[in-house]
Amino acid sequence: MLLYETVGRARHRTNLGDKTAVWEVYDGVPRILFLHDHTSGRAAYLWPDKPLPGYPTGHISFDPDDYPTLATAISLLPQYEETLWEAVRVEHRATEISRDNGRTE
C-alpha cells in the first residue's frame, strides 16, 4: 500500500498477517525503514541491538541514515525471506510494473 510519494521517493506499507514492513523506494530500490512482527516476543530495538523503549514488542527499526535495501534486509533477517520480504518484493514489482505501464514516451 502506497503511503505517500515525493520526488524520488515513495513510502509503502506491506501487511502480511501479523507482520508489517514499512519501506521506501529510493532511486528505484526498495529500502526497509522498519518492521513489526506481532508474533514476536522480543523487545523493540534499533538494528542491530539498541533498545527502543516505548515501542511495541516485535518492532525492529533501522538507522535512518542507512536504511537497508531489501536484499540487505533479507541477509540481516532471513527468517522473513519467504514471508514478509517476499510480500515486499511482490508489491515492489507490481508498483514498478504499474508505474511503467502508466508512462507515456
Side-chain angles (χ1 to χ4, degrees):
M1 162 195 297
L2 179 65
L3 297 176
Y4 72 84
E5 191 167 10
T6 61
V7 176
R9 291 184 184 217
R11 186 166 289 183
H12 300 263
R13 179 178 57 221
T14 299
N15 297 306
L16 183 67
D18 290 334
K19 297 169 185 68
T20 301
V22 173
W23 50 282
E24 280 187 347
V25 176
Y26 183 70
D27 289 337
V29 178
R31 295 186 174 273
I32 309 301
L33 283 66
F34 66 85
L35 71 91
H36 191 83
D37 181 350
H38 296 278
T39 65
S40 172
R42 184 170 178 182
Y45 64 98
L46 176 67
W47 183 266
D49 57 6
K50 181 180 178 187
L52 288 174
Y55 283 78
T57 312
H59 182 90
I60 304 170
S61 285
F62 294 98
D63 184 348
D65 293 327
D66 190 26
Y67 289 130
T69 64
L70 178 58
T72 300
I74 290 168
S75 68
L76 297 174
L77 297 164
Q79 65 269 34
Y80 297 108
E81 181 173 10
E82 294 180 11
T83 56
L84 187 57
W85 298 147
E86 180 61 20
V88 169
R89 185 181 295 120
V90 167
E91 187 172 336
H92 176 250
R93 279 191 211 131
T95 300
E96 293 296 297
I97 290 168
S98 176
R99 187 198 67 200
D100 289 347
N101 286 340
R103 283 191 181 151
T104 56
E105 299 184 32

